[in-house]
Amino acid sequence: QVQLVQSGAEVKKPGSSVKVSCKVSGGTFSSHGFNWVRQAPGQGLEWMGGIIPILGSTTYAQKVQGRVTITADESTNTAYMELISLRSEDTAIYYCARGDLRWILDVWGKGTTVTVSS
Amino acid sequence: DIQMTQSPSSLSASVGDRVTITCRASQSIVTFLNWYQQKAGKAPNLLIYETSSLQSGVPSRFSGSGSGTEFTLTISGLQPEDFATYYCQQSYSVPVTFGGGTKVEIK
């Protein structure tokens, strides 16, 4: 059974950066895409971007474009999301979600809490 | 970007009730509409993809319909484990966008 295992919670200062990992366990890696979706406290879901390793392509939401980088390491079956210039509004749970070329998110990680506070 | 609007934002229902949630898109998304369930403190879970296809393992009391700009998720015979928040998501174009969510609470 495919699982997405995410890295642990982070507490960061405003202006710093965070890098969250998402390791695929029990399934293929490069034949899927990997997306990052965040959820601020008490709020809904916000798609940040995604990567399709087999195509070598990434797409980002305009809101975070320029601050977010999504990468994938096929040798370790791990996807990454790095967010720079952190602000308090970036405080959220960050989910990794497996997708495909149809952008259907069928497997999700448990989430990584990122807290941005001075 | 395509805007997704869900209604209602919350509802109260009893076990056994039939519940319908609506999702509207700001432009036609054909049938590229997916539904997710999120229980408190948990990650979302895919229920229905491309309007009406049930994800493996999802009970048949969940169903979806619609096309173009208007879609519905129906739960026929609400069960205690169905109390959760439901999100629609369009996968017609990037950026992928979600509706604001509908919280289904116990009456």
Side-chain angles (χ1 to χ4, degrees):
Chain A
Q1 183 167 340
V2 178
Q3 287 186 308
L4 304 183
V5 181
Q6 296 187 224
S7 49
E10 304 262 14
V11 179
K12 294 292 183 178
K13 299 284 189 192
S16 67
S17 63
V18 68
K19 191 169 185 176
V20 182
S21 66
C22 169
K23 185 174 176 61
V24 177
S25 171
T28 58
F29 183 78
S30 57
S31 58
H32 294 93
F34 293 91
N35 298 263
W36 291 90
V37 177
R38 69 179 177 180
Q39 186 170 37
Q43 302 301 307
L45 303 172
E46 178 187 18
W47 181 82
M48 299 177 68
I51 186 168
I52 303 176
I54 200 169
L55 298 180
S57 68
T58 52
T59 310
Y60 301 115
Q62 191 170 12
K63 184 177 178 181
V64 292
Q65 188 147 24
R67 292 201 300 134
V68 67
T69 304
I70 296 172
T71 56
D73 183 342
E74 294 182 55
S75 68
T76 58
N77 286 359
T78 304
Y80 299 90
M81 185 282 300
E82 182 174 27
L83 189 62
I84 66 171
S85 302
L86 289 169
R87 313 158 180 163
S88 58
E89 311 89 88
D90 295 318
T91 293
I93 300 173
Y94 288 75
Y95 293 104
C96 169
R98 188 183 78 169
D100 58 16
L101 294 178
R102 301 171 297 171
W103 304 99
I104 297 168
L105 309 181
D106 66 341
V107 181
W108 292 65
K110 292 186 186 300
T112 296
T113 299
V114 175
T115 303
V116 183
S117 174
S118 55
Chain B
D1 298 2
I2 298 175
Q3 307 273 12
M4 305 301 295
T5 304
Q6 283 183 239
S7 60
S9 56
S10 66
L11 64 91
S12 295
S14 301
V15 172
D17 283 354
R18 178 184 174 95
V19 167
T20 298
I21 298 168
T22 298
C23 180
R24 290 186 173 87
S26 60
Q27 66 182 74
S28 176
I29 56 171
V30 194
T31 56
F32 295 100
L33 189 283
N34 312 305
W35 291 96
Y36 301 84
Q37 176 193 65
Q38 186 179 33
K39 297 183 179 178
K42 301 293 186 183
N45 182 51
L46 177 66
L47 289 178
I48 289 174
Y49 61 94
E50 293 183 334
T51 297
S52 58
S53 295
L54 213 59
Q55 175 68 349
S56 175
V58 174
S60 58
R61 61 180 178 273
F62 291 92
S63 63
S65 63
S67 66
T69 61
E70 188 153 335
F71 302 85
T72 58
L73 171 70
T74 300
I75 310 172
S76 302
L78 199 65
Q79 296 299 300
E81 60 268 30
D82 300 336
F83 292 96
T85 300
Y86 294 84
Y87 293 92
C88 62
Q89 172 234 339
Q90 64 83 16
S91 52
Y92 176 76
S93 68
V94 174
V96 160
T97 45
F98 290 89
T102 296
K103 187 172 185 179
V104 177
E105 299 175 300
I106 301 172
K107 183 183 275 186

